[in-house]
Amino acid sequence: MKLFFFILAILLISIRSIACGWGEVSDLYFFYNLFKQTNISGAEYYPFLRTDDHTFYETDNLDFAANRGNVQLWQDLLPHWTADQINKALLTSSNKEFEQLWSGTQSSIERSARQYMTFARKCSSFFKYRYRNSWDYEKILEQEIPDISPLLEEGIKSFKNENEEALQLRYAYQLIRILHYSGQYQEAIAFFQDHVALEFDKNELYYYALDQVGGCYFSLENYEYAAFIFIQVFNHSLDRKKSAFLSYNFCTNYRGEGKSYFDNINDTIGYLTIKNLRSFSDDLAGVRELMKVSATDERTELLFMRAINNLERRIWPSHIGMGKKLLPYLEPRDRQQIKDLIAVCREQFVNPKVIRQDFWLLAASYLHFLDNDLLEAKEKIDQVKDNTYRKQKDVLLIVYDVFSWKHISGPEETYLASILDDRFTVHSFSRWDTLMPAWYYLIIDQAAHLYYKDFKLAKAFLLHNRIETIETIGSQALIDDLIAFEDQEVKNEFEKILMRHATHLPGNISARDYMLFMKGLYYLQLGDAAKAFPFLNKSTLNTYSDPPKSLPVSDFVYATIFSNNTIECFNCPDTIMTDSVFLANPFSFIQPSFSKADLASYLMKLDSLTTEPTSWKRKLAHYLLGNYYFNVSNTGYFRGTLSGQSNCCNYRYFFNRDEKHDLAADLIDMNEGFNLLDVTDHYKLDNGLAKKAYEHYKQVISQSTDKELNARCLYMMSKCELNAYYNSGVVMDYGGYNGSVDSNTKPFKNSFAELEKEYKGTKFYRMIIRECSFFRCYCSL
């Protein structure tokens, strides 16, 4: 029997879902919950609303008190005490605070109440070992318990001497609790039957005591009767529903359901409610089963609400972004589920015995909206008059309006501005937070979708993204539209709101200046220095004297970007870039450090040198360009230079198997996806720059008789081939290849083959076969 208490103690601790690697995540992160679950009547059933991230629905932020029934009884006894004062008296662990609460109390009933609470605190302290969190609950129960006789004697004496019936019942509860916890199960049951069951009304404290008796029957292995008792507690107690629910479930593990003791319809209702709460089934069988027994019971709303929430979890997925789903995302079974739910609403609404008809009207309105019947949805919601649902109505009407739009223009933007207003700031939207309130983020998602569908890329982007996040996207269409949007002289209120995502750049940098600079970098990423230069050169970000520290995209560049290395080390300083050809006199225009615009200028000069009449200048210009393009490729030492990233960490430059492989630029050009929420996840890893490097090295060899230089070029070409191998997707992480040669890797070994065949006599060959294990492995075959 100790196992029961062990499991129960664990389950009574709120269980939270921890997502591996990034902390606690609410299940509300994954879907938009529009229809408030707390629309149901009966706050005591809030803990049983649908949730995945706790044992019970989280009620900390709701108008819900876990001990409401007990506090209400105390207020009946002590009418001059507030609920807050009573809660402090009941819950404080400080004896000093407890005594202060009773300071100045004069009435006899207050003195008696204080005496009882003092005794109750003594009982709780005596048995506090039972509530200690531990995975070794067997040892907790096996520890020696002090003699309970004095405590039991004091309780019995107080029970007999107390004249106030409400307090007498409380003493009875404590006595049953003492007997239960000390293993005197039959004695606890007998005391309940002889005194509590015969002498007291069935109020909240009666069910507190009955809950203890249920535990005694469980410990005596009478699981069937224990289950019956827990159904009674679940049905009638305000405060003990959660514990009764858990306890009943343990009874069912021993095939105890309590049904053999049922003698009225309420027993059946309680049983059906618990049975269906345990199930996460999407069908409405449980709801209809309960409706047949008692359509007017408020627990019908509870089961119905869970069915709606199950539906919402499928049809309102958050974070779709550039995925292929639409909102609402309805599969055939969801469409049928909506129709079935509407049918239940209709039956409940026309039933004259159902009191809360506005609940069913409101639910029907929402479901008709999901069924794409907006006319019926608005007609139903207009009939809802209960002020309890005012906020829910307001939210649904906003959602109905936004989802009725086919396009967004001036009137719709005026409407959105009135809703979003100053709440929409650079800090107001994070993809990693739980999206609350859900309707707010849902309409942002839908508005962004409508903009994206009409190829209004700037507005679609700025609804979800800060302007700085364009650095790795690489979409010319997007950046052109952003620049055009920024250049738009007259902006309406909503467009001004959108620009808040573009005006939080550091160092007083303007959005336009930043975007022009990024457009230039985009051209550099594509290897087009001539187109890049004018955009970079006209931007104030083109400075290396004092670049904004929090905007590394404008950082200066080092001349070693035109060098190369034989040691692969991304964490090493650039002293590993040992080749010094870039220091030759024809390239004296290359300064030790320079701006991105200067970089574009140098590239154009080197391009022009490749057509020089002097052959050695041509080949060395090709050589420096080869070095540069390899270095800024995604396997090169300076791989983050053109996007404001460091050269650290392979995850920035190679997709793993679980990541998105579609590129933002391609998706945008084809107008694929729902909206641009996660556009930054589709960043461009490889711009084909290593291929450009390979061609420049080939040009060197074709024009050179210098075997040492050619050998080095072949080695650099082998690095370009390795780049192609990694970007082919065969190996998903840089460093994941062991150098082996097989049918898959042989096509990427052409430069190794020529180096091994033609250049064995060079110093470079003798050096590189020592330093490069891949080449050594190849030559050993």
Side-chain angles (χ1 to χ4, degrees):
M1 295 316 94
K2 294 174 182 177
L3 178 62
F4 164 69
F5 297 114
F6 165 56
I7 299 172
L8 183 60
I10 292 172
L11 285 177
L12 286 175
I13 302 168
S14 184
I15 300 172
R16 298 176 182 271
S17 299
I18 303 297
C20 181
W22 54 306
E24 181 182 329
V25 181
S26 167
D27 52 347
L28 292 175
Y29 172 82
F30 300 102
F31 78 105
Y32 293 120
N33 175 209
L34 287 190
F35 200 69
K36 285 174 52 183
Q37 293 199 71
T38 51
N39 284 332
I40 66 165
S41 56
E44 64 271 20
Y45 289 105
Y46 285 176
F48 303 98
L49 295 170
R50 179 75 167 84
T51 186
D52 282 343
D53 59 337
H54 292 76
T55 306
F56 294 103
Y57 190 80
E58 184 60 62
T59 56
D60 289 351
N61 298 319
L62 301 175
D63 185 17
F64 175 86
N67 60 343
R68 180 162 61 98
N70 185 25
V71 170
Q72 183 57 58
L73 288 180
W74 276 115
Q75 286 192 289
D76 292 343
L77 189 68
L78 305 172
H80 300 300
W81 284 57
T82 66
D84 184 58
Q85 288 173 316
I86 290 170
N87 266 314
K88 284 182 180 178
L90 293 174
L91 302 176
T92 182
S93 60
S94 166
N95 289 329
K96 181 179 180 181
E97 184 178 18
F98 177 77
E99 294 299 332
Q100 287 174 343
L101 287 166
W102 297 95
S103 177
T105 55
Q106 299 295 327
S107 69
S108 60
I109 192 64
E110 286 177 315
R111 289 194 294 271
S112 296
R114 176 182 182 177
Q115 181 180 333
Y116 165 75
M117 283 196 186
T118 301
F119 176 70
R121 289 168 66 82
K122 188 184 296 185
C123 292
S124 294
S125 178
F126 191 89
F127 290 108
K128 67 182 178 181
Y129 71 92
R130 295 179 61 86
Y131 304 103
R132 193 175 78 210
N133 296 340
S134 173
W135 291 105
D136 196 1
Y137 199 67
E138 288 287 339
K139 289 187 177 180
I140 292 176
L141 293 179
E142 288 171 2
Q143 71 182 34
E144 186 176 349
I145 302 173
D147 182 13
I148 68 162
S149 299
L151 188 67
L152 194 58
E153 183 179 342
E154 181 183 350
I156 292 171
K157 182 179 179 181
S158 297
F159 172 74
K160 290 180 177 179
N161 292 337
E162 180 57 60
N163 295 320
E164 175 58 51
E165 184 177 303
L167 292 176
Q168 194 178 38
L169 176 56
R170 289 184 179 279
Y171 280 114
Y173 162 66
Q174 295 295 345
L175 288 170
I176 293 169
R177 186 172 170 227
I178 292 168
L179 292 169
H180 176 198
Y181 290 171
S182 60
Q184 301 180 65
Y185 307 126
Q186 290 289 9
E187 290 82 352
I189 293 169
F191 186 87
F192 178 85
Q193 292 173 341
D194 294 342
H195 297 284
V196 178
L198 296 177
E199 300 171 9
F200 297 97
D201 293 334
K202 293 182 178 180
N203 63 13
E204 186 67 26
L205 257 293
Y206 172 93
Y207 290 104
Y208 271 49
L210 186 62
D211 195 33
Q212 294 287 328
V213 171
C216 292
Y217 277 109
F218 186 97
S219 296
L220 292 170
E221 301 185 19
N222 190 342
Y223 305 119
E224 179 71 6
Y225 195 65
F228 173 71
I229 286 178
F230 291 132
I231 286 178
Q232 307 311 305
V233 177
F234 179 81
N235 279 344
H236 299 289
S237 171
L238 292 177
D239 302 346
R240 289 291 190 259
K241 289 190 186 299
K242 291 198 296 186
S243 64
F245 174 79
L246 290 173
S247 299
Y248 181 85
N249 288 339
F250 285 121
C251 292
T252 61
N253 293 338
Y254 298 91
R255 299 185 179 179
E257 291 187 307
K259 290 195 286 185
S260 61
Y261 293 96
F262 289 1
D263 63 2
N264 60 57
I265 194 173
N266 207 36
D267 295 339
T268 304
I269 293 172
Y271 164 74
L272 292 175
T273 303
I274 293 176
K275 183 185 77 168
N276 285 288
L277 287 176
R278 296 170 64 188
S279 170
F280 286 92
S281 173
D282 287 336
D283 63 54
L284 284 168
V287 177
R288 292 196 173 279
E289 196 175 15
L290 196 57
M291 286 170 62
K292 287 180 181 178
V293 177
S294 176
T296 62
D297 192 274
E298 62 185 5
R299 284 166 284 192
T300 306
E301 294 179 13
L302 171 64
L303 297 185
F304 181 84
M305 180 59 73
R306 287 169 63 93
I308 285 187
N309 196 256
N310 274 332
L311 176 70
E312 285 194 316
R313 287 165 185 268
R314 297 193 303 270
I315 69 173
W316 290 126
S318 60
H319 307 93
I320 296 175
M322 304 199 82
K324 296 181 180 179
K325 294 179 179 179
L326 294 175
L327 293 177
Y329 179 66
L330 298 173
E331 293 186 335
R333 68 160 179 161
D334 301 314
R335 297 182 189 280
Q336 184 58 50
Q337 178 83 346
I338 290 169
K339 294 184 186 305
D340 292 342
L341 288 165
I342 289 174
V344 170
C345 291
R346 188 180 299 114
E347 288 179 42
Q348 290 295 91
F349 181 70
V350 299
N351 187 338
K353 295 181 180 179
V354 173
I355 298 172
R356 291 216 328 152
Q357 291 189 331
D358 273 13
F359 170 84
W360 300 103
L361 269 176
L362 187 69
S365 169
Y366 178 57
L367 292 163
H368 279 296
F369 160 67
L370 297 179
D371 199 33
N372 201 30
D373 189 347
L374 197 57
L375 189 64
E376 188 68 19
K378 289 189 174 181
E379 183 181 318
K380 288 283 190 295
I381 206 168
D382 286 343
Q383 297 175 46
V384 176
K385 304 303 180 186
D386 189 338
N387 199 49
T388 305
Y389 304 118
R390 182 180 56 81
K391 289 184 178 179
Q392 176 71 91
K393 283 180 60 177
D394 291 344
V395 165
L396 290 181
L397 286 170
I398 291 171
V399 173
Y400 294 175
D401 282 342
V402 173
F403 274 79
S404 71
W405 300 342
K406 302 302 179 186
H407 308 278
I408 297 180
S409 56
E412 289 80 15
E413 288 178 336
T414 299
Y415 183 81
L416 287 174
S418 69
I419 298 168
L420 301 179
D421 197 24
D422 57 357
R423 295 181 63 189
F424 196 77
T425 69
V426 70
H427 304 295
S428 65
F429 195 99
S430 168
R431 285 198 289 133
W432 311 113
D433 292 338
T434 299
L435 307 179
M436 295 295 290
W439 67 268
Y440 177 79
Y441 295 99
L442 176 61
I443 65 170
I444 289 175
D445 253 6
Q446 179 65 6
H449 166 66
L450 294 175
Y451 279 133
Y452 182 52
K453 185 183 69 172
D454 287 345
F455 219 65
K456 297 178 179 179
L457 300 179
K459 295 180 181 180
F461 177 81
L462 292 173
L463 269 166
H464 286 116
N465 301 279
R466 297 192 309 276
I467 195 70
E468 307 96 288
T469 60
I470 63 174
E471 291 173 356
T472 58
I473 296 173
S475 168
Q476 290 284 350
L478 173 58
I479 202 163
D480 285 345
D481 204 49
L482 283 166
I483 292 171
F485 181 61
E486 167 64 20
D487 287 345
Q488 182 181 314
E489 291 186 7
V490 179
K491 293 183 176 67
N492 62 36
E493 285 305 308
F494 186 67
E495 289 169 336
K496 291 175 183 176
I497 289 171
L498 286 181
M499 282 306 297
R500 291 175 190 160
H501 261 175
T503 52
H504 289 263
L505 293 159
N508 296 318
I509 298 168
S510 74
R512 187 176 193 281
D513 217 16
Y514 173 76
M515 288 186 285
L516 289 174
F517 187 78
M518 282 309 308
K519 185 169 176 63
L521 283 187
Y522 277 10
Y523 280 122
L524 277 185
Q525 291 168 13
L526 294 173
D528 194 333
K531 288 183 179 178
F533 179 75
F535 290 101
L536 296 170
N537 195 49
K538 71 175 80 169
S539 171
T540 58
L541 270 73
N542 183 48
T543 174
Y544 51 88
S545 59
D546 186 24
K549 289 182 173 56
S550 56
L551 202 63
V553 74
S554 65
D555 283 350
F556 52 84
V557 185
Y558 295 102
T560 45
I561 203 168
F562 294 105
S563 179
N564 62 48
N565 63 308
T566 57
I567 299 173
E568 297 299 323
C569 178
F570 291 108
N571 295 323
C572 297
D574 72 347
T575 51
I576 66 169
M577 309 300 288
T578 54
D579 186 82
S580 58
V581 171
F582 70 94
L583 295 175
N585 189 58
F587 313 115
S588 60
F589 58 84
I590 299 175
Q591 299 299 305
S593 60
F594 43 87
S595 72
K596 297 293 198 312
D598 291 334
L599 172 61
S601 174
Y602 297 167
L603 292 172
M604 288 189 291
K605 288 180 182 178
L606 288 172
D607 276 331
S608 66
L609 285 173
T610 61
T611 60
E612 273 279 314
T614 309
S615 62
W616 68 268
K617 288 184 180 180
R618 291 200 306 270
K619 72 178 182 181
L620 291 184
H622 277 298
Y623 181 68
L624 294 192
L625 287 168
N627 288 343
Y628 163 78
Y629 283 118
F630 177 77
N631 281 331
V632 295
S633 74
N634 61 325
T635 56
Y637 180 81
F638 292 99
R639 55 187 175 174
T641 295
L642 302 185
S643 59
Q645 309 292 315
S646 73
N647 69 354
C648 164
C649 311
N650 292 331
Y651 60 79
R652 286 181 176 167
Y653 299 99
F654 293 92
F655 286 130
N656 63 43
R657 296 188 187 276
D658 299 322
E659 289 182 306
K660 303 175 177 69
H661 295 74
D662 296 326
L663 299 182
D666 297 336
L667 292 171
I668 289 171
D669 288 345
M670 294 182 289
N671 202 219
E672 288 191 9
F674 181 66
N675 61 34
L676 299 180
L677 166 66
D678 65 342
V679 64
T680 56
D681 290 349
H682 298 265
Y683 50 87
K684 199 163 189 177
L685 299 168
D686 172 39
N687 289 286
L689 298 182
K691 294 177 183 177
K692 288 178 71 71
Y694 188 91
E695 294 302 319
H696 281 293
Y697 288 131
K698 277 180 65 176
Q699 286 292 327
V700 175
I701 294 173
S702 69
Q703 300 179 36
S704 173
T705 57
D706 185 339
K707 281 189 169 274
E708 293 296 336
L709 178 62
N710 291 357
R712 181 175 281 268
C713 283
L714 280 169
Y715 176 70
M716 294 304 299
M717 288 166 70
S718 74
K719 292 173 75 169
C720 294
E721 289 173 335
L722 183 62
N723 175 277
Y725 177 67
Y726 277 117
N727 286 313
S728 70
V730 177
V731 181
M732 301 305 294
D733 187 31
Y734 188 72
Y737 169 55
N738 62 8
S740 61
V741 180
D742 54 30
S743 59
N744 289 323
T745 59
K746 192 172 182 180
F748 300 94
K749 300 292 182 179
N750 295 330
S751 298
F752 269 1
E754 188 173 350
L755 180 59
E756 199 272 339
K757 181 180 179 182
E758 303 291 341
Y759 293 91
K760 280 186 177 179
T762 62
K763 292 180 181 178
F764 184 84
Y765 179 94
R766 293 193 293 273
M767 179 272 293
I768 204 64
I769 202 169
R770 289 195 309 269
E771 290 194 6
C772 178
S773 61
F774 283 8
F775 185 54
R776 191 164 57 249
C777 175
Y778 178 84
C779 293
S780 68
L781 296 177

